[in-house]
Amino acid sequence: MNSTFKWNPEKTLWEKVIHLASERGQSPESIISEAVRLYVDTQLVEPVNNVVSDPLIGLFSTTPDLAINSEDILQDEIREKSGWTWKEHHQ
C-alpha cells in the first residue's frame, strides 16, 4: 500500500534525516517510517485514559480533583473525635 502526504519539516530536522539515511545507506522515507513506527508502538503501550494521570493519585483512594474538593471532603469526614485531642491521663 502506498500513501503520500505533504510534510514540511524544519530545515534542521530534514538535514538530520538526510544525514542519518546517508550514514545507514537507507532512504529518507525508510528512516521516517522507522521513526513513526517506533513512536506509534510506544504510544500504543500506554493505556487509553481520558483522565489526567498523576502518579501520586494512585497512593490515595480519591479523585484527581482532590485539591479542588479538599474542603468538602474534610467537612464530610469530620467526626466527634476528629482532629487533635488530649490523651486521657492514666496513673
Side-chain angles (χ1 to χ4, degrees):
M1 178 177 123
N2 286 337
S3 295
T4 52
F5 62 93
K6 184 172 172 75
W7 181 47
N8 189 14
E10 299 170 3
K11 182 180 178 190
T12 55
L13 178 59
W14 180 244
E15 289 171 350
K16 289 178 182 179
V17 169
I18 296 295
H19 180 72
L20 183 60
S22 174
E23 280 185 346
R24 290 186 173 184
Q26 296 175 309
S27 68
E29 291 83 3
S30 65
I31 297 295
I32 294 166
S33 292
E34 180 183 347
V36 170
R37 188 176 305 106
L38 288 170
Y39 177 80
V40 169
D41 288 348
T42 59
Q43 295 304 308
L44 294 177
V45 170
E46 298 296 321
V48 177
N49 191 350
N50 293 334
V51 176
V52 176
S53 180
D54 183 342
L56 291 179
I57 289 176
L59 297 175
F60 307 99
S61 233
T62 189
T63 61
D65 57 351
L66 175 62
I68 296 168
N69 296 328
S70 62
E71 293 295 324
D72 295 333
I73 293 169
L74 288 171
Q75 187 66 36
D76 290 343
E77 295 295 320
I78 291 177
R79 303 288 181 260
E80 184 179 329
K81 295 205 176 211
S82 293
W84 294 96
T85 61
W86 292 100
K87 294 198 181 273
E88 293 181 21
H89 182 65
H90 293 285
Q91 290 187 353

